[in-house]
Amino acid sequence: MRAVALGGGHGLHATLTALRHLTDDVTAVVTVADDGGSSGRLRRELGLLPPGDLRKALTALAGTDSWGTVFEHRFGGTGALAGHAIGNLVLAGLLEVLGDPVAALAEAARLLGVTGRVLPMSMEPLDIEADVTGLEEDPTTVRRIRGQVAVATTPGRVRRIRLHSATRRDQPPTACPEAVAAVRGADVVLLGPGSWFTSVLPHLLVPELHDALIHTAATRVVVLNLVPQPGETAGFSPERHLDVLSEHAPRLRVDAVIADIDSVPTPDRLRRAAEGLGAAMLLDTVAAGPAGDRHDPAALAASLRRAISSVRGR
């Protein structure tokens, strides 16, 4: 089974870890709009793709006896290296030496013993901007917020996002050709979980990726978050996540929506929202830990298997 997962950060890490239970043929397509922390510093100083989300995807697909732990280590202290993850610096070096993000990620994957592939959403850094309400005395006033970190942490309500090339703001972002080919040739494509406006939706705003998601013959599965994210989706119901997905990509059809049974207070509303996208709803116990705010990889893998089998049965 050829599986492709689109996203970024910890959400994509959870999906990739689950997919490893199902298949060895996994491709991660990763957002490249991060402008904070170590990734933001390297992006600004070197003009490279922000490496943090790419690093997380690599370590999710790495073998247990690999350099994954070393890649995730962050330098402490207060010097120039403070806060940088070793993997971010390695990726930055590979990107500078090889000059080709796909080749750089392939070399990092070889070093880590990765089974599968990690690809950037675009071959150049991207910028996110959002229309946000609730930041002024008049709650209907719309302000434009720029930058992934600013959008993710805004105290207002995000209404809509746009995606731009960091260097060609008057042109739409261009997709990584290998990522487009992976989506078109997949058997299963996953969107979510993750930061909805800054990790999940951006893939739908890259024209070539959007068209690939529309036309792929793959089974398309949306995995919903377990809890709303402060800033981005505070106060969002599970069905509101699907509504926003549809608003940003009206032509997108989905085959299955997976949600944790304890995270859905009104299943009928979520079912109707899923059906509006052409999808069947699958409620399962996929959360782990006492807080219930992260996905259990084995449980999510079992739920994905059931969803795929159900879609194929239909």
Side-chain angles (χ1 to χ4, degrees):
M1 181 177 69
R2 294 165 296 181
V4 176
L6 300 94
H10 297 292
L12 181 60
H13 189 285
T15 305
L16 296 174
T17 307
L19 283 174
R20 288 189 65 195
H21 290 270
L22 304 180
T23 178
D24 290 333
D25 194 342
V26 180
T27 298
V29 178
V30 185
T31 54
V32 287
D34 193 2
D35 60 357
S38 169
S39 288
R41 290 162 59 191
L42 291 169
R43 171 180 170 168
R44 289 187 294 273
E45 292 171 14
L46 303 176
L48 302 172
L49 290 179
D53 287 344
L54 297 166
R55 183 198 81 246
K56 290 187 181 77
L58 284 166
T59 56
L61 293 174
T64 55
D65 58 348
S66 75
W67 281 61
T69 302
V70 176
F71 254 52
E72 290 297 320
H73 175 75
R74 288 187 184 273
F75 291 102
T78 58
L81 291 178
H84 280 304
I86 289 178
N88 286 359
L89 299 177
V90 172
L91 284 174
L94 288 170
L95 287 165
E96 276 210 333
V97 171
L98 299 179
D100 177 359
V102 174
L105 288 164
E107 184 60 24
R110 185 193 64 78
L111 174 66
L112 291 172
V114 164
T115 301
R117 282 193 306 171
V118 174
L119 298 170
M121 178 175 67
S122 174
M123 301 288 273
E124 59 181 344
L126 302 178
D127 286 331
I128 293 175
E129 65 177 30
D131 293 336
V132 180
T133 58
L135 297 175
E136 307 288 349
E137 185 174 341
D138 180 354
T140 64
T141 298
V142 177
R143 283 185 55 188
R144 185 166 295 177
I145 303 297
R146 293 186 173 91
Q148 178 170 314
V149 171
V151 173
T153 57
T154 178
R157 189 177 182 90
V158 179
R159 298 295 181 177
R160 193 167 191 88
I161 63 165
R162 287 171 295 277
L163 203 60
H164 303 289
S165 163
T167 57
R168 301 174 292 107
R169 296 191 61 82
D170 59 334
Q171 299 180 29
T174 302
C176 168
E178 289 83 355
V180 173
V183 171
R184 287 188 175 272
D187 297 309
V188 177
V189 174
L190 275 67
L191 275 169
S195 300
W196 214 244
F197 285 101
T198 55
S199 291
V200 178
L201 294 180
H203 292 85
L204 302 172
L205 304 182
V206 180
E208 300 97 331
L209 265 182
H210 172 272
D211 290 346
L213 285 164
I214 297 296
H215 297 294
T216 183
T219 299
R220 287 163 289 209
V221 181
V222 171
V223 181
L224 290 178
N225 293 337
L226 299 170
V227 295
Q229 182 176 353
E232 281 198 34
T233 55
F236 272 36
S237 64
E239 55 271 17
R240 178 59 184 154
H241 287 72
L242 298 185
D243 293 341
V244 169
L245 193 70
S246 182
E247 289 167 5
H248 284 78
R251 296 167 55 209
L252 179 66
R253 311 306 293 167
V254 177
D255 297 292
V257 172
I258 295 175
D260 184 76
I261 193 168
D262 293 325
S263 301
V264 182
T266 52
D268 287 343
R269 291 182 183 177
L270 180 59
R271 182 178 292 104
R272 287 194 295 271
E275 290 172 350
L277 289 169
M281 178 186 72
L282 177 60
L283 295 184
D284 256 336
T285 300
V286 292
D293 58 354
R294 61 185 178 87
H295 286 83
D296 178 270
L300 181 56
S303 188
L304 286 168
R305 185 182 290 112
R306 284 191 288 273
I308 294 164
S309 298
S310 175
V311 170
R312 291 175 176 174
R314 298 203 309 270

